Structures are given as C-alpha cells and as structure tokens.
Amino acid sequence: MEATDRILQEIAAEGRRLEVMDAKISDLTVASTSIRADITSFRETVTDLDQRLSVVEDRVAVLPDQEAELRSLRAKVTGLEDSSSRDNVRFFGILEYKEGYDIKTFLKTALPKITGLAFSSPLEFQQAHRIGSLHKETHDKPRPIIACFLRHEQACQIISVAKSQGPLSLEGNKIDIGNKGEKRQQEKERQRDTRGQQEKKRPQEKERQRDTRGQQEKKRPQEKERQRDTRRQQERKRPQEKERQRDARRQQGRKHPQEKEGSELQEGSKGD
C-alpha cells in the first residue's frame, strides 16, 4: 500500500509539473506569435523606408540639373527685369501737384527745360505716375515720378545728361534723375571688379604661401641641427651625472660605518 501511495503521489506531482509546463508552453506560444507579428511589422517598416530612401535618392540625383535650370531661369528673369526697367526713368524733387492731372503732358513740356535737350521726336510714354502714397509731409519731400519711355533712345539721352551735367533743376528746385537698371548694372560692374581684384590677389596669395613654405623648409635643417646639439649636450652630461651619482653613493657608503660605530657607542654607554 505504501508503495502504491508513493507511486500515486509521484504521478500527481508529475501531472502538476506537466500542467506548469503546458502553461509555460502556452506563454511561449503567445510570445512567439507576438514576436512573429513584430518581425512582420518591422519588415514592412524596412520595406517602406527602402522605398522612401529610393525616392529621396532619385530626387537628390536630379538636384544638380534642377539647380542649373534654376540658375538659368534666374539669369533670364534678371535679364528680363533689366530690359523691362531700362526704359524706366525716375525723377526726384518735382513738387507735388506740379504736374496737375496729366503727368505725361507735364513731362513732355518739363523735360526739355530740365535737361536742355531738343528731342528729334516727340516724347511718348507707356506709363507715368508718382511712386508711393500721398502723406501730409510730402510737400517737404515730394514723391518721385517714374516714367516708362516708349523710345529707349530718349531714356538714354536723359540719363546721359543727368550723369554728365550733375544735379539739374526746375524753377529753382533740385531735380535728380535715376534708373533702376543702371544701378543694377553698376552693381554687376562692382561685383566684376571685386572678382577681378580677387583674381589678382590669388597669385600673390599663392606666392606668399610658397614663401612661407620655403621659410619653413629653410628652418627645418636649423631645427634638426638644434635638436642634434641638444642631444649631444645631453650625451655629454650623462657621464658627469653618472660620476656624480657614484660619488654620492661612495659618500653614503663611507657614512654608514661611522653611523654604525656611533650607534654602538651609544648603546654601550646606555648599558653602563
């Protein structure tokens, strides 16, 4: 009976262990299923990232061509702006309301007086108006007038007179004449001059760098010679240092017997 009970107990314990193992196996199954789902999601994410990276690489590959195209378009736009604004002339200093209700008619009669030019053909304008809004203070500082000439030659004549004669006047009022395209051209010329100066400085900078390298090359043998002299001096000092150390050891060796003898005498006197 005891053997049977023991066997039954072992069977029951084994059954409990099997139940625990089944529970653990179930947990492992759930965990593996979750891991499998995570791996699948990770693969999908990697695939999506690969596709996005491919799209980005394609876009980056065409960037140089797009940049060149943008530069070309910018140059064309700048050229169009210059060509469209080269016939626009600005007049500063003409009093407010001086033109009445028709600026074009006023300019046709006023410009010959201001510039002293006798135009071969009548002055004609595409547009003419004042720039900016009217304020109370405009009587002291009138708004400029901008006029777009139909004939480019007439605009060039007026700008040329303004450059050569300096400040002009109308009925005692100082009149300044300018052109936006002219300022842009001056800016381009200034940039070209700056680039030219930089180009001139480059050979000088290269020559200076070569001189610096040459000086460094000349100094290297001197530096090596100085290092060799330093090593020679150190080599010369080593025997002297060794001799000094030997003398110090000899002196210490001579002192030891005297110290021992003195200590023995002290011990003997204490014993007495």
Side-chain angles (χ1 to χ4, degrees), residues 14-25:
E14 189 67 25
R16 288 192 295 271
R17 284 196 294 272
L18 290 174
E19 290 177 356
V20 173
M21 291 178 65
D22 288 338
K24 291 182 178 180
I25 290 171

Side-chain angles (χ1 to χ4, degrees), residues 41-95:
S41 177
F42 179 73
R43 287 177 178 173
E44 293 175 354
T45 303
V46 170
T47 303
D48 185 35
L49 289 175
D50 287 338
Q51 293 176 354
R52 292 184 180 182
L53 181 60
S54 177
V55 172
V56 171
E57 288 176 349
D58 293 339
R59 291 180 179 178
V60 170
V62 299
L63 280 179
D65 297 336
Q66 292 179 351
E67 183 180 2
E69 185 178 357
L70 285 174
R71 288 180 179 176
S72 176
L73 290 174
R74 187 177 299 166
K76 290 180 180 179
V77 169
T78 303
L80 290 174
E81 288 179 352
D82 292 341
S83 62
S84 63
S85 63
R86 65 178 183 173
D87 297 332
N88 294 338
V89 181
R90 301 188 181 199
F91 303 92
F92 302 88
I94 298 176
L95 298 178

Side-chain angles (χ1 to χ4, degrees), residues 91 94 103-112 123 125 128 145 147:
F91 303 92
I94 298 176
I103 296 181
K104 294 181 181 179
T105 302
F106 168 75
L107 291 176
K108 289 178 182 179
T109 57
L111 288 181
L123 292 173
F125 308 94
I145 294 176

Side-chain angles (χ1 to χ4, degrees), residues 28-226:
L28 289 173
T29 303
V30 173
S32 63
T33 303
S34 177
I35 291 171
R36 190 178 293 110
D38 292 339
I39 292 173
T40 303
S41 177
F42 179 73
R43 287 177 178 173
E44 293 175 354
T45 303
V46 170
T47 303
D48 185 35
L49 289 175
D50 287 338
Q51 293 176 354
R52 292 184 180 182
L53 181 60
S54 177
V55 172
V56 171
E57 288 176 349
D58 293 339
R59 291 180 179 178
V60 170
V62 299
L63 280 179
D65 297 336
Q66 292 179 351
E67 183 180 2
E69 185 178 357
L70 285 174
R71 288 180 179 176
S72 176
L73 290 174
R74 187 177 299 166
K76 290 180 180 179
V77 169
T78 303
L80 290 174
E81 288 179 352
D82 292 341
S83 62
S84 63
S85 63
R86 65 178 183 173
D87 297 332
N88 294 338
V89 181
R90 301 188 181 199
F91 303 92
F92 302 88
I94 298 176
L95 298 178
E96 290 284 343
Y97 308 112
K98 188 73 175 176
E99 69 278 8
Y101 295 98
D102 191 352
I103 296 181
K104 294 181 181 179
T105 302
F106 168 75
L107 291 176
K108 289 178 182 179
T109 57
L111 288 181
K113 297 178 182 178
I114 295 173
T115 60
L117 293 173
F119 297 98
S120 58
S121 57
L123 292 173
E124 292 182 321
F125 308 94
Q126 292 182 3
Q127 289 183 353
H129 58 84
R130 287 193 182 268
I131 302 174
S133 57
L134 182 63
H135 298 284
K136 294 180 180 179
E137 296 81 4
T138 51
H139 295 286
D140 297 332
K141 188 177 180 181
R143 295 171 296 167
I145 294 176
I146 183 170
C148 180
F149 286 77
L150 281 176
R151 297 179 179 86
H152 177 65
E153 296 79 8
Q154 294 176 347
C156 291
Q157 287 177 349
I158 293 173
I159 294 296
S160 177
V161 169
K163 283 183 179 180
S164 60
Q165 296 184 8
L168 304 175
S169 62
L170 177 65
E171 298 179 359
N173 296 318
K174 180 182 176 182
I175 306 297
D176 291 327
I177 300 175
N179 181 281
K180 186 177 180 181
E182 177 190 2
K183 291 182 179 179
R184 186 171 294 171
Q185 185 65 26
Q186 292 175 357
E187 180 65 20
K188 288 182 179 179
E189 292 177 357
R190 187 185 64 80
Q191 292 177 358
R192 281 197 296 269
D193 293 339
T194 303
R195 287 195 296 269
Q197 292 176 1
Q198 291 176 352
E199 291 293 334
K200 291 179 181 178
K201 288 181 180 179
R202 283 179 184 174
Q204 299 176 359
E205 181 66 21
K206 290 181 179 179
E207 185 66 25
R208 188 183 64 80
Q209 292 176 357
R210 281 196 295 269
D211 293 340
T212 303
R213 287 195 296 269
Q215 293 176 1
Q216 292 176 353
E217 291 293 334
K218 291 178 182 178
K219 288 181 180 179
R220 283 178 184 174
Q222 299 175 359
E223 182 66 21
K224 290 181 180 179
E225 185 65 25
R226 188 182 64 80

